[in-house]
Amino acid sequence: MSEQPAGGDLSRLRQLNAAAVLRELRGDQPLTLTELSKRTRLSRASTEDVARDLLGRGWLTEVAPASGSVGRPARRYRFNAGAGRLLGIDIGGHKALALVTDLDGEVISQARLEIDPEAGRRQRLAALDRCVARALAGTSSRAAGGGSDGQIWATGVATTGLVDGTGKVMLSDSLPEWTGVDLGAHVRRLVPGPVRVENDCKLAALAETWRGVARYAKDVVFLLAGLRTGAGLIIDGKLHRGFANWSGEIGALPAAGWQQAPAHLHDWLDASGADGFERVFVAARAGDREALAAVRAYVQDLAVGASALVLTLDPQLVVIGGGFSRSADVMVEPLRRELDRWCLRTPEIRVSAFADEGVALGAVRLALDEVESTITTGLRP
């Protein structure tokens, strides 16, 4: 005689069944109960029971029958991405960027504010507040028009520096007065729902494997190439944080070359009297010998730390992102040649298509991870 699940076991079983149904419905195509039952390997009765529960909670929506159907059409369901909203925030050295999305990560509203790189803690947090307020204000008309209810279900925040599990910046050597900022607590005063904070390089890597050029890859080294240099690591399809969340910080080692890399570009700017790093790459693209030498020296330093990561992880892909990725056409081949010198196998090198929005998109993915991890909590037993 088989045992029936006890109350707690039954509740957990229902949560697992619900998670399985939701996972299958996150695709683009609606599914019938029969299709869901086959994909989840649940009985049709269990599938129908879970679908009815999720439909009542707003997680699912019923899709109108396909045109031309003969007889009584089967009911079809899809995930209701408009049930709630996510907020992704990128607070960096030069800007604050906030994205409000649906539960599929489609952007509904966004706001951007430029920030003085020398701004202190108070000014930078005030800019973050204004940016978030503008992004949220951009969604109010949609909510009033009968769309999503406008509720932020979870928020992801990206920042430079080392971040602990509570959302506090433990160390930041690139932003004035930023070490010690409890960013998680600050953002929790602005929006409802859980808030998670993570290093910007890590979240840029996460964005690439979610919706970027690394979607097909399981092992990735992401290089943030810009006014500062950093890395994010994806191992076996998952963001690698390390024991104390300090993974990828190879730039802290002077011998890695990343600390002095931008100095080569600075030197060219000082000598030429030009303003803005983009001018170096424009001149190199036009064949200016001194500019080409500056870019080559920058890439050589970048390649030292990158080679160490490639030799350690043996990734399928190296992705170049960050502000300098717009000029990757003059960086990729020199970088490939340097990696060929040092690495036993040079992985494919690809360039991010997100420009400077990849970090904020990664913050949205972090918020979505939070929602998905608790998506079945509270389902009735």
Side-chain angles (χ1 to χ4, degrees):
M1 185 176 184
S2 61
E3 282 189 63
Q4 295 296 319
D9 293 334
L10 180 60
S11 176
R12 178 58 179 162
L13 179 62
R14 290 188 59 83
Q15 290 178 7
L16 293 173
N17 291 348
V21 169
L22 287 168
R23 186 166 52 249
E24 294 300 330
L25 287 172
R26 293 306 294 269
D28 295 331
Q29 298 299 320
L31 298 174
T32 65
L33 287 174
T34 300
E35 291 167 334
L36 273 173
S37 177
K38 289 180 179 178
R39 293 193 181 197
T40 59
R41 299 183 179 181
L42 299 174
S43 69
R44 183 183 170 87
S46 295
T47 305
E48 186 172 14
D49 190 34
V50 170
R52 186 186 307 114
D53 197 359
L54 292 173
L55 189 66
R57 294 175 179 276
W59 284 102
L60 303 186
T61 185
E62 194 166 343
V63 179
S67 59
S69 300
V70 178
R72 183 179 179 182
R75 287 179 294 176
R76 298 183 302 155
Y77 301 91
R78 65 173 176 82
F79 178 72
N80 183 14
R85 291 179 178 170
L86 307 169
L87 176 62
I89 302 169
D90 172 16
I91 179 71
H94 295 78
K95 75 175 188 308
L97 175 61
L99 305 178
V100 179
T101 77
D102 64 16
L103 297 179
D104 276 336
E106 295 299 323
V107 177
I108 298 169
S109 174
Q110 63 178 302
R112 176 192 298 264
L113 282 177
E114 299 302 316
I115 302 177
D116 182 347
E118 302 303 318
R121 174 185 304 194
R122 183 174 300 177
Q123 297 96 319
R124 198 173 301 276
L125 289 175
L128 182 154
D129 294 354
R130 293 194 301 273
C131 189
V132 169
R134 291 181 187 181
L136 295 178
T139 69
S140 58
S141 59
R142 283 202 178 199
S148 169
D149 62 8
Q151 175 101 14
I152 298 296
W153 281 15
T155 298
V157 185
T159 183
T160 61
L162 303 174
V163 183
D164 69 8
T166 69
K168 186 176 182 179
V169 180
M170 303 303 294
L171 177 65
S172 175
D173 56 8
S174 59
L175 299 184
E177 302 177 353
W178 206 238
T179 297
V181 170
D182 193 341
L183 201 51
H186 181 86
V187 174
R188 288 183 190 101
R189 293 194 288 267
L190 304 178
V191 291
V195 174
R196 294 178 61 181
V197 184
E198 186 54 271
N199 170 267
D200 52 0
C201 294
K202 290 182 174 64
L203 293 187
L206 192 63
E208 294 298 337
T209 56
W210 181 35
R211 292 197 162 183
V213 298
R215 280 174 289 183
Y216 65 88
K218 286 191 173 183
D219 298 290
V220 180
V221 169
F222 174 86
L223 298 178
L224 181 76
L227 298 178
R228 61 187 180 85
T229 309
L233 310 177
I234 302 293
I235 299 177
D236 197 23
K238 298 179 181 179
L239 178 64
H240 182 66
R241 292 181 167 88
F243 176 75
N245 205 26
W246 288 21
S247 69
E249 296 292 336
I250 197 169
L253 184 66
W258 289 3
Q259 294 179 9
Q260 68 265 23
H264 303 292
L265 308 179
H266 275 293
D267 291 344
W268 185 90
L269 290 172
D270 292 341
S272 66
D275 184 29
F277 281 96
E278 183 61 26
R279 302 302 303 168
V280 186
F281 298 106
V282 170
R285 193 176 294 115
D288 183 288
R289 289 187 177 183
E290 286 76 16
L292 282 168
V295 171
R296 185 163 51 250
Y298 167 77
V299 171
Q300 286 173 342
D301 281 343
L302 179 68
V304 176
S307 297
L309 292 173
V310 168
L311 287 167
T312 302
L313 297 179
D314 185 26
Q316 180 180 353
L317 193 65
V318 170
V319 178
I320 302 175
F324 293 172
S325 65
R326 297 185 184 92
S327 302
D329 59 309
V330 295
M331 290 174 53
V332 170
E333 284 308 315
L335 178 61
R336 181 177 288 113
R337 288 195 297 269
E338 291 299 315
L339 293 182
D340 285 343
R341 287 181 60 199
W342 302 112
C343 299
L344 300 177
R345 181 193 68 85
T346 300
E348 180 185 359
I349 301 174
R350 302 200 64 183
V351 181
S352 173
F354 293 140
D356 66 349
E357 294 188 357
V359 171
L361 189 61
V364 170
R365 177 67 247 191
L366 185 69
L368 184 56
D369 286 346
E370 177 66 27
V371 169
E372 290 181 344
S373 69
T374 58
I375 202 167
T376 56
T377 301
L379 288 176
R380 64 176 175 80

